Amino acid sequence: IEAVPESWSVAYASDPTEWERKFDECWDDAEKILDKKECSPEHDITYNEMTQLIAQLTRMCQLLMMEVNAQPEPAIGPILDRYFTQQIVERVLDWAIQVPDFLKPTCQLALIRIYELIISESHTQNHCLLVHKPILNPLLRLFEWCQRADGLRPHKLGHPSATEKHFVVLLNQICTKLAEDRTLLHFFFSCTDGADQFIVFSLLIPFLYEQVSIDLNIVAPSHMPCFIFRTM
């Protein structure tokens, strides 16, 4: 994932208004790509459009993390507010689900890595962005989309795909965050057939028995088993 600013400087790093300006510039470019499909459903999304949109979304998320990490206390800053008012990630996911089949694995991988960025770059323990619906809901939808797709097939023969590897890394990152902050737990429970289900653990279980070379320390982090049992 590339760095945010084309012209990094100390002044840029300490100027939130410049972050907002750059964010709006990126969102303007991204929205034009989204609008093309939204206004013309028959439009076939191209590889170039996908890479351009992912690049803009990556920059936007990096700028979001700069804003969040710069705040002394949890708050919804101007950039995070745009994720609420513009429904940015929801719109991107709506768009991504419609990419041609041959682009779906690449698109899924890119979105997974963006969420890796959001979690790994969060340096404030008291403000995890996963508590916000405009960030959390698209993540849960991404999980569902990946489960339905051919890109994630636990127990298949051969080496795991890049999508599978990063999917597991992301789940591990989320487990680590949940272990650090138990208040996040209820965001990852769903009620299925009248029973509570811990979504992250349910997604990880198939990979626990994977016979190929997914790192077992990633699939089953040492803190996860006791963490899971304490929540039941």
Side-chain angles (χ1 to χ4, degrees):
I1 296 176
E2 61 186 87
V4 179
E6 287 79 3
S7 54
W8 179 268
S9 67
V10 174
Y12 180 93
S14 58
D15 186 359
T17 59
E18 183 63 15
W19 306 344
E20 291 178 50
R21 185 198 66 77
K22 181 62 179 176
F23 182 92
D24 288 338
E25 183 181 297
C26 291
W27 175 231
D28 184 60
D29 290 340
E31 195 169 30
K32 289 175 183 175
I33 298 173
L34 296 175
D35 285 344
K36 189 181 295 186
K37 182 65 175 177
E38 290 173 357
C39 296
S40 302
E42 71 280 0
H43 170 70
D44 290 328
I45 298 168
T46 67
Y47 175 79
N48 284 340
E49 287 174 337
M50 184 192 71
T51 55
Q52 289 170 19
L53 181 67
I54 292 299
Q56 298 300 342
L57 182 62
T58 299
R59 294 189 186 101
M60 290 159 60
C61 287
Q62 289 171 324
L63 290 161
L64 170 63
M65 299 317 300
M66 289 172 67
E67 176 184 80
V68 170
N69 290 327
Q71 294 170 333
E73 295 182 358
I76 296 179
I79 291 178
L80 179 55
D81 184 64
R82 286 164 172 78
Y83 281 83
F84 281 85
T85 58
Q86 301 295 325
Q87 291 292 295
I88 290 172
V89 191
E90 286 280 10
R91 288 182 63 187
V92 168
L93 199 62
D94 288 340
W95 180 92
I97 290 171
Q98 300 178 76
V99 302
D101 288 345
F102 75 95
L103 291 178
K104 284 181 179 177
T106 304
C107 194
Q108 288 171 340
L109 174 59
L111 292 173
I112 288 169
R113 296 196 66 182
I114 285 173
Y115 270 101
E116 285 181 31
L117 166 72
I118 290 173
I119 296 174
S120 65
E121 291 298 313
S122 178
H123 303 313
T124 56
Q125 288 191 352
N126 57 351
H127 190 189
C128 178
L129 291 179
L130 296 180
V131 303
H132 300 299
K133 286 186 177 181
I135 305 295
L136 175 65
N137 287 348
L139 172 62
L140 299 179
R141 289 181 60 200
L142 178 60
F143 286 162
E144 293 175 1
W145 184 33
C146 288
Q147 275 190 301
R148 295 195 308 267
D150 290 336
L152 294 178
R153 291 175 294 166
H155 309 305
K156 69 181 180 182
L157 297 176
H159 294 290
S161 66
T163 303
E164 288 174 313
K165 289 181 178 179
H166 282 277
F167 186 75
V168 171
V169 169
L170 176 59
L171 293 174
N172 179 64
Q173 286 181 322
I174 293 171
C175 281
T176 301
K177 280 292 181 186
L178 295 177
E180 293 172 355
D181 184 357
R182 304 294 175 85
T183 63
L184 297 174
L185 266 174
H186 73 276
F187 293 104
F188 290 93
F189 273 94
S190 68
C191 186
T192 304
D193 297 327
D196 285 338
Q197 184 180 52
F198 183 44
I199 298 169
V200 177
F201 193 48
S202 299
L203 293 169
L204 268 176
I205 283 177
F207 293 99
L208 293 173
Y209 304 99
E210 181 59 72
Q211 297 300 310
V212 293
S213 58
I214 295 180
D215 188 343
L216 290 178
N217 290 323
I218 292 177
V219 177
S222 59
H223 60 259
M224 191 179 76
C226 62
F227 166 65
I228 297 299
F229 291 131
R230 285 174 187 165
T231 65
M232 292 183 172

